[in-house]
Amino acid sequence: SQQGEEDPQALSIQEGENATMNCSYKTSINNLQWYRQNSGRGLVHLILIRSNEREKHSGRLRVTLDTSKKSSSLLITASRAADTASYFCATDFGSNDYKLSFGAGTTVTVRA
Amino acid sequence: DAGVTQSPTHLIKTRGQHVTLRCSPISGHKSVSWYQQVLGQGPQFIFQYYEKEERGRGNFPDRFSARQFPNYSSELNVNALLLGDSALYLCASSPLAKETQYFGPGTRLLVL
């Protein structure tokens, strides 16, 4: 079963607008990662936030983590057509073993 | 530097056959993980290998097996293929077991 769930399932925005998507998870985590996938190809790692961090930035990306609510958000500012992709959150909740659990993803379409 | 490579890129099999998928990690990476992504869903964790030992196993039947070689490359084997095994199989590598994972382009398997 997938621990993370993204919301919304799909998002359509105009170029230049901001895109925000959320991820909720069920159990305590070691870290949370966001990935991007273009057209069913391999996943590209965007950002990792550890359980003791609350906010992280990388270029036009801003990720927040609220462990009390078991949720995270990904904000893409000043979106571009190239940001059109599916975005997945993934949680690492293993202790001795390692299991990365992905949500079903948010499909983002950026209109020119 | 070369990224994670996977072979073959596409594969068509019939029910009951077996399949072997191959993955070469990024140079210097000792951990390889395998994921199954069914159309419209997020990747599901199958296995992780680190230093040639299994470090994690997802909720998949025994028809799925894997191994890691001394050069850290890996094979995923699936026996007695079912229609439901049709999916994109992703391989990811990381320097250590609990680090950011870098994904390959995937092998698209179609079972008829």
Side-chain angles (χ1 to χ4, degrees):
Chain A
S1 63
Q2 294 176 316
Q3 159 150 261
E5 288 187 11
E6 289 91 345
D7 171 60
Q9 288 186 325
L11 189 58
S12 180
I13 56 174
Q14 201 74 28
E15 208 166 21
E17 293 180 338
N18 295 342
T20 301
M21 59 210 85
N22 304 295
C23 169
S24 59
Y25 55 92
K26 299 173 185 174
T27 63
S28 297
I29 59 172
N30 298 315
N31 61 59
L32 186 144
Q33 303 177 50
W34 285 91
Y35 286 85
R36 183 185 74 226
Q37 185 177 41
N38 294 85
S39 301
R41 298 186 179 184
L43 281 78
V44 174
H45 181 261
L46 297 176
I47 200 163
L48 179 152
I49 186 165
R50 302 193 186 280
S51 59
N52 61 353
E53 297 175 313
R54 292 296 167 258
E55 187 170 315
K56 211 162 181 181
H57 297 256
S58 176
R60 295 184 295 112
L61 306 179
R62 173 179 169 255
V63 167
T64 62
L65 178 63
D66 187 336
T67 53
S68 66
K69 295 181 179 178
K70 291 187 171 58
S71 68
S72 173
S73 68
L74 171 66
L75 167 68
I76 305 172
T77 59
S79 63
R80 305 166 182 169
D83 295 329
T84 294
S86 292
Y87 292 81
F88 296 90
C89 69
T91 53
D92 163 20
F93 59 96
S95 52
N96 294 324
D97 62 356
Y98 182 79
K99 295 181 181 179
L100 199 59
S101 179
F102 285 82
T106 293
T107 299
V108 175
T109 302
V110 180
R111 306 186 306 274
Chain B
D1 288 340
V4 176
T5 59
Q6 293 186 243
S7 62
T9 55
H10 295 82
L11 202 52
I12 300 175
K13 292 285 188 179
T14 55
R15 280 176 296 175
Q17 287 188 313
H18 76 273
V19 67
T20 298
L21 309 181
R22 295 178 175 82
C23 171
S24 291
I26 292 172
S27 177
H29 287 193
K30 298 181 179 181
S31 171
V32 169
S33 298
W34 287 96
Y35 295 83
Q36 180 196 66
Q37 186 178 23
V38 174
L39 195 62
Q41 297 183 18
Q44 294 260 29
F45 173 78
I46 310 176
F47 287 110
Q48 190 207 28
Y49 277 79
Y50 177 67
E51 288 282 19
K52 301 178 286 293
E53 291 189 0
E54 184 183 299
R55 289 291 297 269
R57 173 184 282 258
N59 189 23
F60 280 81
D62 292 342
R63 299 185 296 108
F64 289 77
S65 64
R67 56 180 175 167
Q68 187 177 34
F69 299 99
N71 66 354
Y72 302 110
S73 67
S74 177
E75 283 183 354
L76 175 69
N77 293 285
V78 187
N79 293 325
L81 285 167
L82 303 174
L83 296 179
D85 295 330
S86 295
L88 179 68
Y89 288 85
L90 295 161
C91 172
S93 76
S94 57
L96 300 173
K98 283 180 173 284
E99 292 283 337
T100 297
Q101 296 195 336
Y102 298 87
F103 283 79
T107 293
R108 193 165 294 282
L109 173 65
L110 177 62
V111 181
L112 300 176

